[in-house]
Amino acid sequence: MTEYLPGGTSPKAQLIADEVRRRIATQQWQQGQRIPDEADLAVEFGAARATVNKALQVLADEGLLERKRRAGTRVVVNPARKATFTIPIIREQIEKLGQSYSYRVFTVRRGPPGNRIVTDLGVPASAPFVHLQAVHYGDGQPFQFEDRWINLAAVAGMENLDFKHINANEWLVRNAQYLRADIEFSAENATAREAQLLGATAGMALLVLSRNTWNDKGLITSVRIACRPGFSMKALD
Amino acid sequence: MTEYLPGGTSPKAQLIADEVRRRIATQQWQQGQRIPDEADLAVEFGAARATVNKALQVLADEGLLERKRRAGTRVVVNPARKATFTIPIIREQIEKLGQSYSYRVFTVRRGPPGNRIVTDLGVPASAPFVHLQAVHYGDGQPFQFEDRWINLAAVAGMENLDFKHINANEWLVRNAQYLRADIEFSAENATAREAQLLGATAGMALLVLSRNTWNDKGLITSVRIACRPGFSMKALD
DNA sequence: TCATTCAATATATCTAAACATATTTACAAG
DNA sequence: CTTGTAAATATGTTTAGATATATTGAATGA
């Protein structure tokens, strides 16, 4: 009855989750159907209700089950697929490829936030910002073009930083933990400037990653990263 | 001391997680530093150890904490940022926008798998495949161009399906549970054909989503979805 | 008919306690 | 100095029981 997993036994909640997954996969429990309640499953699997709860919670997080108080637990009709991407620190990403990392700043300008920052992100137009444009290289080849706005009011100790020589991304990762973030992947045709900086041709399709991070004082930074042509983001799920 | 959250109280574990997050964000607990153990935190927060455990588990899943038995819990040094994307069923995505969904198949051809499938995915060249090309529309406007290969040997009951009239994506979602999947976002310039089918101009940058799913019998399906110009994938994290 | 109230019920969450397990640390033996 | 062993300790997991909360569905009354 019980299966052996290579490398030892799994926790009970895991085994229960696997069995429920199997029942859904084999359509023993069909889409939209209500499954037995936690108490019954606890009896069936010889576990405590809390353990069953944990297992079902996992499957609900995966999007396979839908749980509502009083109404019970049912198999989701059209399970949405989820994929988690890890957004690495550029330096690490490049060094993992066995390439040497370098970084060059093309623009540093202090001043009020750009229009997009004010209108899209609801930042006061009077906030003190730095606008940065830089390129990250692997073995001397352009890897990413970074266009970043930084809110100097969001993190103490930034006023006197020399962003011309400090890697803003890494400084922020280490010194400005965020509470909330959003991210967006899109595709854009390279502008003439991007093409030049990335060693590409104008109009080439670039994967663009836009990310905003926030802490309790408001927006920390808003960055738009245009990746070199052909670059892609991969994930398992 | 305690903060009010608009809209009611949160579960205790959530409040604890938020407070820990805050302490990390404010560098009260610095990167690499060990934080108090569960028992101490339980006392401090007036909660049971299990509740603290749950809260810390969440933060560890988020990649903010690193936990090891006996060694304790510490703040991760260079937190990798993660973003989870939900890949919705196209029909639902379009209907959620308040548009009417339609779908048109342009190509259905049975035969051996394409070269890319054989070489990149290690599928035997003799496997029975169907190659599909279709466009999904919202209110009559092209939304996505789908280019899909389906391994007929991977799922029983597919040999006699009429993919000309059945929505392959939805049939597979409902009938072919996968064990493993990978996904990739990239940017590509629209080919003439894609431009025509998507009502775009050749060369426009398109966000492309490539996805392969597998079960115990091997590859189920490999699909490449070119989204209409300007489309983007968003996530919070 | 429709809205309100109220009891029943399934999940959500928490607690306290126990045992399991991995890992560190110290110490002893070779 | 290395290896082996044992104690200590922090997290991992489960249990049994309790309370909280949302939702259903039936009963009630305007």
Side-chain angles (χ1 to χ4, degrees), chain B residues 8-122:
Chain B
T9 60
S10 292
K12 215 162 182 173
Q14 185 65 53
L15 293 175
I16 295 174
D18 289 345
E19 171 60 16
V20 171
R21 229 191 302 273
R22 198 190 61 76
R23 289 187 187 181
I24 295 172
T26 60
Q27 315 220 332
Q28 192 172 331
W29 288 343
Q30 304 206 340
Q31 298 199 347
Q33 204 178 51
R34 183 159 162 216
I35 73 173
D37 66 42
E38 293 184 347
D40 290 347
L41 291 175
V43 172
E44 186 197 331
F45 290 123
R49 188 169 78 90
T51 306
V52 172
N53 179 283
K54 190 176 176 184
L56 297 185
Q57 202 73 251
V58 167
L59 298 180
D61 288 344
E62 284 177 14
L64 225 54
L65 294 178
E66 206 164 30
R67 322 190 68 211
K68 275 203 324 212
R69 275 180 170 138
R70 161 66 182 158
T73 298
R74 33 186 83 246
V75 181
V76 165
V77 176
N78 282 131
R81 282 92 200 277
K82 288 181 186 167
T84 301
F85 290 87
T86 303
I87 294 106
I89 299 204
I90 301 174
R91 175 200 292 278
E92 293 178 358
Q93 187 177 6
I94 286 172
E95 287 173 349
K96 190 142 48 179
L97 292 172
Q99 303 181 1
S100 74
Y101 171 79
S102 57
Y103 171 70
R104 183 168 163 202
V105 175
F106 287 86
T107 307
V108 194
R109 209 174 55 231
R110 279 163 200 255
N115 284 335
R116 184 183 63 80
I117 307 292
V118 174
T119 57
D120 291 2
L121 304 175

Side-chain angles (χ1 to χ4, degrees), chain B residues 78-201:
Chain B
N78 282 131
R81 282 92 200 277
K82 288 181 186 167
T84 301
F85 290 87
T86 303
I87 294 106
I89 299 204
I90 301 174
R91 175 200 292 278
E92 293 178 358
Q93 187 177 6
I94 286 172
E95 287 173 349
K96 190 142 48 179
L97 292 172
Q99 303 181 1
S100 74
Y101 171 79
S102 57
Y103 171 70
R104 183 168 163 202
V105 175
F106 287 86
T107 307
V108 194
R109 209 174 55 231
R110 279 163 200 255
N115 284 335
R116 184 183 63 80
I117 307 292
V118 174
T119 57
D120 291 2
L121 304 175
V123 168
S126 60
F129 265 72
V130 175
H131 183 204
L132 256 180
Q133 290 186 318
V135 175
H136 302 265
Y137 303 87
D139 278 351
Q141 297 298 310
F143 208 84
Q144 294 184 342
F145 168 58
E146 170 181 330
D147 187 307
R148 181 186 294 273
W149 291 85
I150 303 171
N151 180 5
L152 292 173
V155 183
M158 259 194 311
E159 304 81 9
N160 302 314
L161 285 186
D162 177 9
F163 285 111
K164 191 87 187 170
H165 299 105
I166 286 175
N167 187 315
N169 181 36
E170 295 188 21
W171 191 91
L172 287 166
V173 165
R174 273 192 271 270
N175 298 283
Q177 195 74 22
Y178 63 89
L179 291 174
R180 186 162 65 83
D182 59 69
I183 189 167
E184 180 176 357
F185 287 157
S186 58
E188 295 184 26
N189 293 99
T191 63
R193 173 138 206 250
E194 285 165 348
Q196 184 216 324
L197 291 172
L198 288 172
T201 313

Side-chain angles (χ1 to χ4, degrees), chain A residues 142 145 189-204 206 229:
Chain A
F145 168 59
N189 293 99
T191 62
R193 173 139 206 250
E194 285 166 349
Q196 184 217 321
L197 291 172
L198 288 172
T201 314
M204 280 184 95
L206 305 179

Side-chain angles (χ1 to χ4, degrees), chain A residues 61-224:
Chain A
D61 288 344
E62 284 177 16
L64 226 53
L65 293 177
E66 205 164 31
R67 294 159 64 72
K68 277 205 321 215
R69 278 180 167 136
R70 159 66 186 165
T73 298
R74 29 187 86 245
V75 180
V76 164
V77 175
N78 286 130
R81 281 92 202 275
K82 288 181 185 166
T84 300
F85 289 86
T86 302
I87 293 106
I89 299 195
I90 301 176
R91 174 199 292 278
E92 292 177 359
Q93 188 178 4
I94 286 172
E95 288 174 349
K96 190 141 53 177
L97 292 172
Q99 303 182 3
S100 74
Y101 171 79
S102 57
Y103 171 70
R104 182 166 164 206
V105 176
F106 287 86
T107 306
V108 195
R109 209 173 56 231
R110 282 167 196 252
N115 285 332
R116 185 182 64 79
I117 306 293
V118 174
T119 58
D120 292 2
L121 303 176
V123 168
S126 60
F129 266 72
V130 175
H131 183 204
L132 254 181
Q133 289 186 318
V135 175
H136 302 265
Y137 303 86
D139 278 351
Q141 297 299 308
F143 209 84
Q144 294 184 341
F145 168 59
E146 171 181 329
D147 187 307
R148 182 186 294 272
W149 290 86
I150 303 171
N151 180 5
L152 292 174
V155 183
M158 260 194 310
E159 304 81 9
N160 303 316
L161 284 186
D162 177 10
F163 285 111
K164 190 89 187 168
H165 298 106
I166 286 176
N167 187 315
N169 181 38
E170 294 187 23
W171 192 90
L172 288 167
V173 165
R174 272 192 273 271
N175 298 284
Q177 291 285 344
Y178 62 89
L179 289 174
R180 187 162 63 80
D182 59 69
I183 190 167
E184 180 176 354
F185 288 158
S186 58
E188 295 183 25
N189 293 99
T191 62
R193 173 139 206 250
E194 285 166 349
Q196 184 217 321
L197 291 172
L198 288 172
T201 314
M204 280 184 95
L206 305 179
L207 186 63
V208 172
L209 202 155
S210 304
R211 186 176 163 89
N212 306 305
T213 56
W214 319 73
N215 68 11
D216 53 338
K217 293 182 187 136
L219 181 74
I220 302 173
T221 187
S222 173
V223 62
R224 177 184 172 285

